[in-house]
Amino acid sequence: MDADVIVVGAGPVGLFLAAELKLAGAEPLVLERRTTPSGEPKSRGLGALATEALRRRGLGDRLAEADVEGTKDLARDHGSTRGHFANIFKITPDASRPRTNIWQPELERVLAEHAEGIRVLRGHEVTACESDVDGVTVTAGRTWRARYAVGCDGGRSTVRKLAGFAFPGTPALLRTVAGQARFAGDVPPPGRYAGGTFLRGGSMVGITEPASNPEPAGAAGFAARVRRITGTDVVVEEFREERRFGDQARQVGDYRHGRVFLAGDAAHVHSPSGGQGLNLGLLDAANLGWKLGAVLRGDKPEAFLDTYTRERHPAGEAVLRNTRAQSALLAPGAHVDALREIVAELMDLPEANKYFADLLAGTGIRYDFPYPASAPVGEHCPDLELVDAEGRKSRLHEHTCTGRGLLLTTGHPADPRVDVVRVTNTGPLLLRPDGVIAWAGEGPLDVALDTWF
Ligand SMILES: Cc1cc2nc3c(=O)[nH]c(=O)nc-3n(C[C@H](O)[C@H](O)[C@H](O)COP(=O)(O)OP(=O)(O)OC[C@H]3O[C@@H](n4cnc5c(N)ncnc54)[C@H](O)[C@@H]3O)c2cc1C
């Protein structure tokens, strides 16, 4: 064996998964086709759950630093730092579960540092992946052998195709073409027009329109598009860093085939509306990493790994659902205009506003556990403030860098399977390494400990 787990792709999800595996005592090997990180500024924000997941591993300060500039950029480009649903910028984020405004290249730098010491082989494009009873053989130039492989190789995942995963879903309704543009003369105001939406923030511009419209290319094609949508006779002198993305929504049914798993965009694609892809993908990695570690150590049986799909598929499905709804609200037309007005009015109601905030943050997700339990069991624990018997205060994330399970309690006896922190200000809580609450004082603690550890 060349490693315990071969991770295909050194994007954010692959890097985080590799670090989680290492923390769980496994030996990962990352194979990445690019010779240098992509630098493409796709994502500009990290949802609350992903922010908390990275904080739990000691990356909170780096995120907080990046957030200062990221928040300024957000205000410049969108004229608001509020959250949005289908570009209706009215959502007041839950201040107790903060997201991070960080550009994706900066996030990838933070994660690459976090994964330092792990073998990341760049310039290694995976072209074959075969699973058998003992392990997986992966080809990237030469062949590599490991107990498991995880495809973290993005929306067009090669591993997904090689391992024969079906990828059902819906094709693109809308397509966005965006880039940095230099105009000569008048530029129309951004907003919704009869045939599509003109986006503009700083020097970044874009058009969102039905995917069935002809595809433009270059400055001339983009100018023709802006003219067609806005009716303004624009001249585009330069159009750089062109990016195009659709809102196809697809998800694999089972995140595992034999010894091959998928995580991140490889397992699910959807429109970027509401900035949820990384929240989803990084949480896949957080969920899978410690479980693979436990099976590789021999602490848990193979079947334990089935909880990965059971927990993460519904989380992905929920994002596909809300991004499809956002696409419906972003489509052009008078009927959609009317619907948008009604949704915007609903967002003025505090309860509805909170509903949208929770929906986009994913904080409403609750895993279904194999023993009777009620909320908050199955939910991701926020970064609680903790107080010990001497009155000393700390934050939950200060106790989670080991990647082990954690029992917060006033009096339960220590258990060698988890770390124990004595606290006086919360009820007892058992947390899994991915920050999910496994027990909260209801029913026997042993059942929860035996299930997860
Ligand atoms: C315009 C836009 C805006 C977005 N905004 C947000 C946002 O604000 N918030 C948010 O959370 N998400 C956002 N997203 C989504 C987010 O960018 C993705 O969800 C995220 O990049 C997924 O990470 P990943 O690691 O799964 O895949 P990727 O980032 O695609 O990384 C995959 C890696 O695998 C490598 N690879 C591919 N094939 C192979 C192969 N055969 N062999 C070896 N390596 C391979 C690639 O080179 C790449 O490095 C946005 C997306 C877009 C397009």
Side-chain angles (χ1 to χ4, degrees), residues 55-417:
R55 271 191 192 174
R56 280 196 296 275
R57 301 298 181 246
L59 302 175
D61 288 347
R62 292 294 312 275
L63 297 187
E65 268 168 42
D67 184 64
V68 176
E69 285 307 310
T71 303
K72 283 187 202 155
D73 290 355
L74 185 67
R76 177 199 64 206
D77 295 347
H78 290 306
S80 170
T81 54
R82 295 184 122 191
H84 75 90
F85 190 80
N87 286 350
I88 305 172
F89 280 84
K90 281 198 170 188
I91 300 175
T92 309
D94 177 354
S96 69
R97 314 281 305 247
R99 49 183 282 127
T100 308
N101 294 313
I102 180 170
W103 288 101
Q104 189 155 334
E106 177 64 11
L107 173 70
E108 290 186 25
R109 271 193 290 279
V110 172
L111 290 171
E113 279 171 36
H114 179 55
E116 231 166 60
I118 292 173
R119 276 187 300 164
V120 178
L121 302 183
R122 293 192 162 274
H124 283 68
E125 177 162 4
V126 169
T127 52
C129 177
E130 273 169 37
S131 177
D132 54 56
V133 281
D134 309 315
V136 187
T137 305
V138 174
T139 307
R142 53 159 271 199
T143 58
W144 309 81
R145 191 85 185 133
R147 294 273 303 279
Y148 299 97
V150 188
C152 301
D153 51 344
R156 297 198 169 89
S157 172
T158 305
V159 173
R160 188 178 66 224
K161 289 166 201 150
L162 291 171
F165 287 86
F167 202 36
T170 46
L173 181 70
L174 304 173
R175 185 192 331 109
T176 299
V177 174
Q180 307 276 343
R182 200 178 67 239
F183 290 92
D186 288 344
V187 184
R192 284 171 63 76
Y193 290 84
T197 303
F198 179 50
L199 310 158
R200 188 162 189 224
S203 62
M204 178 80 196
V205 291
I207 287 280
T208 300
E209 63 179 336
S212 53
N213 285 358
E215 294 234 15
F222 186 72
R225 231 173 172 212
V226 178
R227 275 185 227 122
R228 187 171 72 226
I229 297 297
T230 65
T232 305
D233 193 15
V234 296
V235 177
V236 178
E237 291 184 334
E238 192 185 17
F239 190 57
R240 291 181 294 116
E241 296 175 30
E242 180 173 329
R243 287 182 295 145
R244 41 186 76 209
F245 47 88
D247 59 359
Q248 57 273 21
R250 300 185 180 279
Q251 184 185 21
V252 293
D254 193 335
Y255 284 26
R256 171 187 193 173
H257 256 201
R259 293 181 162 268
V260 181
F261 293 80
L262 298 178
D265 280 11
H268 36 69
V269 294
H270 49 81
S271 97
S273 288
Q276 302 169 85
L278 283 169
N279 215 21
L280 203 53
L282 292 173
L283 268 278
D284 290 346
N287 191 290
L288 182 58
W290 71 276
K291 290 177 180 172
L292 277 172
V295 172
L296 283 160
R297 285 194 309 272
D299 289 351
K300 299 300 288 179
E302 271 282 328
F304 186 57
L305 297 171
D306 295 340
T307 63
Y308 173 54
T309 297
R310 205 152 65 222
E311 294 178 350
R312 294 309 298 160
H313 189 277
E317 210 169 21
V319 171
L320 260 64
R321 174 173 166 260
N322 88 53
T323 49
R324 280 190 184 118
Q326 292 189 73
S327 289
L329 278 169
L330 285 164
H335 294 79
V336 180
D337 289 344
L339 184 58
R340 289 176 68 83
E341 280 172 24
I342 290 170
V343 171
E345 284 164 18
L346 277 175
M347 283 184 185
D348 291 334
L349 307 174
E351 216 173 309
N353 200 288
K354 182 175 171 352
Y355 167 84
F356 282 105
D358 291 349
L359 190 69
L360 294 177
T363 41
I365 286 289
R366 186 169 165 246
Y367 297 155
D368 190 14
F369 280 175
Y371 47 86
S374 46
V377 173
E379 294 176 358
H380 286 84
C381 190
D383 192 15
L384 300 174
E385 184 179 75
L386 305 174
V387 182
D388 71 11
E390 280 78 46
R392 282 187 301 251
K393 288 182 180 167
S394 62
R395 284 268 166 198
L396 176 62
H397 74 255
E398 295 170 49
H399 305 278
T400 50
C401 282
T402 61
R404 283 163 52 85
L406 186 65
L407 178 63
L408 305 176
T409 175
T410 40
H412 287 86
D415 186 294
R417 291 172 287 182

